[in-house]
Amino acid sequence: QKEVEQNSGPLSVPEGAIASLNCTYSDRVSQSFFWYRQYSGKSPELIMSIYSNGDKEDGRFTAQLNKASQYVSLLIRDSQPSDSATYLCAVNDQGAQKLVFGQGTRLTINP
Amino acid sequence: DAGITQSPRHKVTETGTPVTLRCHQTENHRYMYWYRQDPGHGLRLIHYSYGVKDTDKGEVSDGYSVSRSKTEDFLLTLESATSSQTSVYFCAISGTQGLGAFFGQGTRLTVV
């Protein structure tokens, strides 16, 4: 069973600080990695994608990928209360053409 | 929002009855997925489709069947609903393998 693992949290971060979310995956051939944000009672929303080793920045969000260590992370700079949500890591299982999700990390930004 | 519509949005049904959930897309995307989301389990893949009439099982497919007779519609059927199938069901679509998927609004299903 190919797995994606996340710490379920909750992770509590003060407003203005950096929130760091981590994800590990078991399938070495995975090529595509994604972060979704899900507010309570809403559907998941794609916020970041990353395909190669290193960092990818988009506004206050930075995704980091290390394929050798099989982990993906998401950094949120200058955290805002509106960032409070569950963050889901997803990995593309290329062999079977499907997207596998971790359990999600619940993030709370405290004013 | 990506053009994805799930119906119904809410449903309460009795144990043992058949239930069909519909996912309709207007994006002409090749890949469609059905997930269920339960507390403590995250999103789990039920079935997915990679083209018309091309479907495959996910990790929690027991008790579910799917059909895709047109590019735009992907149906999920619970042949005989059980209380363990009470969940929130999400449909997702993706245009190209390796790119992220976009989700519908979800269907909250309660089996009593």
Side-chain angles (χ1 to χ4, degrees):
Chain A
Q1 178 73 21
K2 297 172 183 175
E3 294 182 347
V4 180
E5 299 286 342
Q6 294 181 256
N7 187 325
S8 60
L11 176 65
S12 185
V13 173
E15 183 175 357
I18 296 175
S20 177
L21 304 160
N22 299 309
C23 170
T24 60
Y25 60 94
S26 62
D27 184 11
R28 285 195 167 271
V29 301
S30 297
Q31 296 295 318
S32 308
F33 307 86
F34 308 94
W35 284 99
Y36 286 79
R37 178 177 61 200
Q38 186 177 25
Y39 293 115
S40 180
K42 302 296 185 181
S43 57
E45 173 192 10
L46 179 63
I47 57 172
M48 289 289 286
S49 58
I50 187 166
Y51 305 99
S52 55
N53 280 328
D55 295 359
K56 178 182 178 182
E57 187 175 316
D58 184 0
R60 295 186 297 110
F61 297 95
T62 299
Q64 300 175 318
L65 174 61
N66 184 322
K67 290 187 178 180
S69 301
Q70 295 177 243
Y71 82 77
V72 194
S73 61
L74 179 70
L75 302 178
I76 307 174
R77 291 183 301 280
D78 188 23
S79 298
Q80 303 296 310
S82 60
D83 295 325
S84 297
T86 295
Y87 289 81
L88 300 158
C89 173
V91 176
N92 180 255
D93 180 349
Q94 218 169 4
Q97 305 170 12
K98 59 187 180 183
L99 206 54
V100 181
F101 284 82
Q103 288 185 286
T105 298
R106 187 155 57 94
L107 173 67
T108 300
I109 307 300
N110 299 308
Chain B
D1 290 346
I4 313 168
T5 303
Q6 291 186 232
S7 58
R9 294 291 312 281
H10 302 272
K11 186 170 181 67
V12 179
T13 192
E14 293 186 348
T15 298
T17 60
V19 177
T20 295
L21 308 183
R22 181 185 185 228
C23 179
H24 178 78
Q25 60 143 331
T26 58
E27 305 294 325
N28 200 35
H29 281 353
R30 178 181 178 188
Y31 299 94
M32 299 186 75
Y33 308 86
W34 276 108
Y35 290 90
R36 62 177 288 175
Q37 188 171 40
D38 305 287
H41 291 279
L43 281 163
R44 292 183 292 175
L45 183 64
I46 305 171
H47 282 280
Y48 63 103
S49 170
Y50 45 96
V52 174
K53 295 190 181 351
D54 291 324
T55 65
D56 206 346
K57 297 179 180 179
E59 61 182 305
V60 290
S61 60
D62 287 349
Y64 302 94
S65 62
V66 290
S67 66
R68 192 172 179 197
S69 59
K70 299 184 290 185
T71 298
E72 57 266 35
D73 289 325
F74 193 32
L75 304 180
L76 176 71
T77 297
L78 290 67
E79 301 291 348
S80 177
T82 68
S83 58
S84 65
Q85 293 175 313
T86 292
S87 187
V88 178
Y89 291 85
F90 286 104
C91 174
I93 64 174
S94 178
T96 304
Q97 183 187 353
L99 297 185
F102 299 93
F103 282 78
Q105 320 96 304
T107 295
R108 183 172 295 277
L109 177 68
T110 302
V111 183
V112 298

